[in-house]
Amino acid sequence: MTTTKAVKVSLLPDAVRREASRFRGEFYECLTARRDELFELADAVLCVDGAVKSPVNLTLLPEHRRGHGAMYGDLNHGRLDVDCLRTVLAGLPLPRFDGGRLVLAVDVSPWLRSDAPCSAERLFCHVYGRAKTASQFIPGWPYSFVAVLEPGPTSWTAILDAVRLGPADDATAVTAARLRGVVGQLVAAGQWQAGDPDIVIVSDAGYDVTRLAWVLRDLPVELVGRVRSDRAMRLPKPPRMHGVNGRPPKHGPEFRFTKPETWPRARDHHVHRHHQLRQGRGSGMGPGPSEAHPPLFMARP
């Protein structure tokens, strides 16, 4: 006797299929050399079952319809218009939080290359989890990326930009330049308009949040990050008192994060909430800013 089992097939909605088809067409236009082979290679990477341990294994998949020689020629001579791809990614439907707010995350992810001593511009990447009690420095390529976070219990992120850091690059300066480019592309794509909530940018403790706040002060963004506990800040200068002679102070009293007795009181926070906090001198953070780099400010919300 033959029995029939019910099979539930999940189909994508028509709107999702149309959007996916449009993205594939725009991605194909971003390929400027060996585009057919590059397109099939990208399909093979997405459809492979498990990690890609060798590029030659991708030629065995049904999505890759060419031979080994075409694959190696693609890796050596294929070209991709990166700026065009960034524009395409910025125009995709992006996940949003409550109120339609966009939340971006910036971080550095290393591509460890300890077994490739001839690779150019390798750096020592600080990684965790490879030793029992301590972190390690392993040769590799660090990549700075900007991603859109998605609300809810999910680990999926939409990568909008990624760039490899070189030996002479300043991670904070590169991040500021890429964030300015990403925000500009989001505005040009209509993802943010006047009246929308500011874009939130989340960073780790490795970034200088005060410096980023100063460099990106003209953009509709809000920065969320951890500040080192040994930082010393300065409150706004007090108002000029009548009958007091002498040169007025440039800054207010100093407060340190590690000394609660120096923290401003709640009413002080209310009075000066529209002013700016300046990084105090003598805080162990090196010399003061030069003319090319303005002072580091952190504006209170």
Side-chain angles (χ1 to χ4, degrees):
M1 180 177 180
T2 303
T3 58
T4 303
K5 295 183 179 180
V7 178
K8 182 178 180 181
V9 180
S10 177
L11 298 178
L12 293 175
D14 292 340
V16 177
R17 290 195 298 111
R18 288 194 298 268
E19 185 65 31
S21 178
R22 183 181 68 86
F23 171 73
R24 288 173 62 86
E26 293 179 349
F27 173 70
Y28 183 80
E29 295 299 327
C30 295
L31 306 176
T32 58
R34 304 287 183 99
R35 57 172 51 180
D36 291 334
E37 169 62 21
L38 269 177
F39 193 82
E40 292 186 6
L41 194 61
D43 270 346
V45 171
L46 295 176
C47 297
V48 67
D49 187 11
V52 179
K53 298 182 179 180
S54 175
V56 70
N57 294 336
L58 297 175
T59 61
L60 304 177
L61 297 178
E63 290 76 15
H64 192 278
R65 298 175 295 178
R66 289 167 172 78
H68 300 74
M71 185 269 298
Y72 286 114
D74 169 45
L75 295 179
N76 293 327
H77 304 290
R79 293 294 181 268
L80 170 67
D81 189 344
V82 179
D83 293 334
C84 178
L85 180 59
R86 291 189 177 114
T87 303
V88 171
L89 294 177
L92 294 175
L94 301 178
R96 297 174 181 268
F97 283 71
D98 296 338
R101 185 188 298 272
L102 287 172
V103 179
L104 306 181
V106 294
D107 203 352
V108 176
S109 179
W111 182 10
L112 303 181
R113 300 285 291 173
S114 57
D115 55 346
C118 297
S119 298
E121 297 185 345
R122 288 191 310 166
L123 300 177
F124 285 102
C125 303
H126 194 195
V127 296
Y128 295 92
R130 291 181 170 269
K132 293 183 179 180
T133 59
S135 58
Q136 289 182 319
F137 289 92
I138 299 179
W141 291 328
Y143 281 84
S144 176
F145 65 87
V146 181
V148 181
L149 299 183
E150 183 176 348
T154 177
S155 59
W156 287 98
T157 57
I159 302 295
L160 297 181
D161 187 271
V163 62
R164 192 176 76 180
L165 299 176
D169 290 337
D170 183 353
T172 304
V174 173
T175 301
R178 297 317 318 151
L179 282 174
R180 182 172 295 277
V182 168
V183 172
Q185 291 164 355
L186 293 176
V187 173
Q191 301 282 9
W192 186 92
Q193 299 178 359
D196 293 346
D198 291 342
I199 302 174
V200 176
I201 300 176
V202 183
S203 62
D204 204 349
Y207 290 92
D208 193 342
V209 183
T210 56
R211 179 181 173 189
L212 286 175
W214 169 260
V215 176
L216 305 177
R217 64 191 181 279
D218 59 326
L219 298 180
V221 298
E222 297 179 6
L223 295 174
V224 178
R226 293 186 296 173
V227 182
R228 291 175 47 181
S229 60
D230 58 352
R231 280 286 181 88
M233 296 291 179
R234 292 280 186 178
L235 290 172
K237 63 180 180 181
R240 181 72 173 176
M241 302 298 295
H242 295 287
V244 177
N245 298 326
R247 184 177 180 180
K250 292 184 178 180
H251 313 289
E254 180 185 88
F255 74 94
R256 293 180 176 272
F257 293 173
T258 55
K259 296 182 179 180
E261 62 273 11
T262 63
W263 294 355
R265 294 174 295 178
R267 62 179 183 180
D268 294 337
H269 174 75
H270 177 75
V271 172
H272 302 293
R273 67 188 185 93
H274 294 297
H275 291 269
Q276 295 174 324
L277 298 178
R278 190 185 190 281
Q279 174 185 297
R281 295 185 181 274
S283 57
M285 298 186 59
S290 61
E291 293 293 336
H293 297 80
L296 309 181
F297 289 86
M298 181 174 66
R300 285 186 173 183

